[in-house]
Amino acid sequence: AAAAVAAALWGWLRPVAQTEAPVTRLEFTTSSDLPFAFPVLSSVAALAISPVGDRVVYSAHRGNGWVLAVRTMDQLSARVLPGTEGGLYPEFSPDGRWIAFESGGTLKKIAVDGSALTTITTIGSTGSTGSSGLTWISNEEIVYALRALASSRTMMRVSSSGGASTVFSRSDSTTTERFQLSPRAVAGGRVVLYTSTRGSSLLFTIGAVDAKTGESK
């Protein structure tokens, strides 16, 4: 009896071998009717992967311009998101239900099925007062960086439901920081990484903002 109990305890308490998830490799290619477009400086494509990795949104060449298109990884073709002509910096919300993007100096969002296109806020006219990237810090808030030519050298935050933007972070004057560009939320939105410039706009380092305090370093 004692031996049986000991065997049972050993079986119950012994470490269970952890099985590793298999590695899946996928090649993302575009179809001939919706090839990659390169809207940023005529050399950079816009592309974002959903949080669970099941779909990709990208800038697709169409006519004399580009539009945002979505392809799920279990399909071979992409579909155009209506109303996203000229869209830049597409980003999925953390729950994967929405895609935010900039178009014509406005911040917009659209459901992944192509419905419910909504204007969130006005960033400014295309050019000096547009954005230089955006990121979701939660399903309810978006942070975007003003373009380097803008007079205000800040990153802004806005409700994903719309409304007025507020200052999220300011350039760190103690390090002669000039601009904060290309935000990217990490750690569940508690921290936003960004491209920091000092001196020349071509000298890049990485900065970080505490989303709670707005302090950057």
Side-chain angles (χ1 to χ4, degrees), residues 24-39:
T24 301
R25 294 182 175 87
L26 302 172
E27 181 175 317
F28 184 82
T29 57
T30 60
S31 57
S32 58
D33 60 327
L34 289 172
F36 274 119
F38 301 93

Side-chain angles (χ1 to χ4, degrees), residues 99-163:
I99 298 169
F101 64 98
E102 180 201 337
S103 178
T106 58
L107 181 62
K108 300 181 179 182
K109 70 175 183 180
I110 189 170
V112 294
D113 63 3
S115 64
L117 178 64
T118 305
T119 295
I120 297 174
T121 191
T122 299
I123 299 172
S125 59
T126 302
S128 63
T129 53
S131 79
S132 65
L134 60 96
T135 190
W136 297 72
I137 57 174
S138 71
N139 290 318
E140 291 75 39
E141 277 195 298
I142 297 171
V143 167
Y144 62 90
L146 296 177
R147 217 162 267 175
L149 296 178
S151 58
S152 178
R153 302 174 180 182
T154 62
M155 288 194 287
M156 309 294 290
R157 71 194 302 165
V158 65
S159 168
S160 59
S161 299

Side-chain angles (χ1 to χ4, degrees), residues 27-37 58-62 69-71 75-80:
E27 181 175 317
F28 184 82
T29 57
T30 60
S31 57
S32 58
D33 60 327
L34 289 172
F36 274 119
Y58 70 98
S59 52
H61 180 75
R62 190 174 72 167
V70 168
R71 184 190 138 192
Q75 300 291 323
L76 298 177
S77 59
R79 57 183 173 81
V80 170

Side-chain angles (χ1 to χ4, degrees), residues 23 29 34 37 41 75 77 83 86 88 92 107 111-112 124 128 134 151 156 165 174 190-191 197 201 204-205 207:
V23 175
T29 57
L34 289 172
L41 302 177
Q75 300 291 323
S77 59
L88 293 170
F92 285 93
L107 181 62
V112 294
S128 63
L134 60 96
S151 58
M156 309 294 290
S165 301
T174 63
R190 296 189 300 275
V191 176
T197 69
S201 294
F204 299 139
T205 56

